[in-house]
Amino acid sequence: MSDMLKIQADQVVDLKEWEQRWEENQISFHKPQVHEMLESHIDKVLAGRTGVRFFFPLCGKAVDMKWLADMGHSVVGVEIAEKAIQQFFMENNMTYSEEAVPAMPGVKVFRNSEKNISVYNCDLYSVSSSVVGQFGAIWDRGSLVAINPRDREKYASLIMSLMAQDCKYLLSTLMYNPELYKGPPFVVPGEQVLGLFGKQCNVELLLSQNALENIHVALGLDYRLEQLYLITPKIS
């Protein structure tokens, strides 16, 4: 594992670059339909609960947010690119308000009160439970794999601080040969998932499936696995 992680350890994508990708519509990571991994495992995430608070780190304009809101859940997302947030509401035909966040100077939150969706336009690491509260569920697709690899411990600490005691954290990661592609998205081996979360949480691998498509072959990849974990706080 360590050799695999070393290859991408120093890769850095700054926030401006992510915003630029949205400005230039370089968003091949966006899925125009609800992610099949979320859809097929939603019962495990809900665990019989209704009105669950969902957190979407680095949410982009994920249609999964509206899908969950339509089911009666509330959604809080965080996204650095204002264009992504505006497109989310407009493309889903939802009105929205823009409000300043008193506890976070310079930060705006975009809200649709009817659907109970709020998206904070800021750096993920400026968010805290004192501002957004804690959550009964987290859907992490394209977030842990997108952050700079050197920030993963900081990221895991933030995520765990946002988990309520009954939280179900659904995490999607990728495995491929990092010698053939520098990322993002970056490789996150299962051993590292366990290392980041295993002390405070139970970590269950739900799925490991081939996710190699023509676009990845064109990048030079010879294999690409998408892996799905369910992470829950250990009961102290």
Side-chain angles (χ1 to χ4, degrees):
M1 178 184 83
S2 57
D3 288 346
M4 183 175 273
L5 289 174
K6 273 180 196 168
I7 296 168
Q8 294 181 335
D10 297 323
Q11 291 286 355
V12 173
V13 182
D14 64 29
L15 297 179
K16 285 270 183 277
E17 192 171 330
W18 284 113
E19 290 181 277
Q20 191 67 25
R21 287 183 185 211
W22 279 97
E23 287 302 322
E24 296 174 359
N25 206 36
Q26 294 179 3
I27 53 168
S28 58
F29 49 80
H30 172 70
K31 288 180 74 75
Q33 63 280 335
V34 175
H35 199 288
E36 61 278 3
M37 281 188 166
L38 176 63
E39 204 166 9
S40 58
H41 292 86
I42 190 62
D43 289 344
K44 260 189 182 297
V45 175
L46 295 178
R49 300 172 297 167
T50 57
V52 176
R53 289 192 82 222
F54 273 82
F55 182 62
F56 276 64
L58 310 189
C59 61
K61 58 176 180 177
V63 297
D64 306 6
M65 294 191 286
K66 182 175 185 294
W67 182 68
L68 289 165
D70 285 343
M71 292 165 62
H73 307 295
S74 59
V75 174
V76 174
V78 175
E79 172 55 50
I80 191 63
E82 185 172 330
K83 184 175 182 179
I85 302 171
Q86 292 170 338
Q87 285 182 352
F88 167 72
F89 287 109
M90 290 189 292
E91 290 173 10
N92 289 288
N93 299 310
M94 286 188 282
T95 56
Y96 62 89
S97 61
E98 294 181 37
E99 305 165 21
V101 183
M104 302 168 73
V107 171
K108 288 187 294 188
V109 59
F110 293 69
R111 296 189 198 278
N112 175 283
S113 51
E114 183 191 345
K115 287 293 181 189
N116 210 352
I117 300 175
S118 304
V119 183
Y120 289 78
N121 181 207
C122 62
D123 177 3
L124 178 65
Y125 301 115
S126 64
V127 167
S128 67
S129 58
S130 64
V131 176
V132 297
Q134 290 187 314
F135 297 90
I138 299 171
W139 174 219
D140 185 331
R141 183 259 165 185
S143 186
L144 177 60
V145 296
I147 63 158
N148 297 326
R150 66 186 184 193
D151 293 334
R152 285 179 185 166
E153 289 192 6
K154 178 170 71 167
Y155 179 92
S157 294
L158 171 63
I159 292 294
M160 287 187 287
S161 75
L162 299 177
M163 295 172 77
Q165 194 60 53
D166 65 345
C167 186
K168 309 288 186 186
Y169 171 28
L170 198 63
L171 168 66
S172 170
T173 63
L174 292 170
M175 285 291 290
Y176 58 82
N177 183 350
E179 292 182 334
L180 300 177
Y181 179 66
K182 68 175 187 175
F186 301 109
V187 164
V188 183
E191 297 95 322
Q192 189 174 42
V193 174
L194 204 57
L196 290 169
F197 298 102
K199 190 173 274 189
Q200 295 183 39
C201 299
N202 302 302
V203 179
E204 178 188 358
L205 177 64
L206 297 179
L207 186 68
S208 182
Q209 67 182 20
N210 175 46
L212 187 69
E213 298 173 8
N214 289 338
I215 186 174
H216 309 123
V217 175
L219 291 170
L221 293 183
D222 51 0
Y223 79 94
R224 184 175 181 270
L225 289 177
E226 192 165 10
Q227 299 183 302
L228 188 70
Y229 298 88
L230 184 67
I231 300 174
T232 55
K234 289 179 179 176
I235 306 301
S236 53

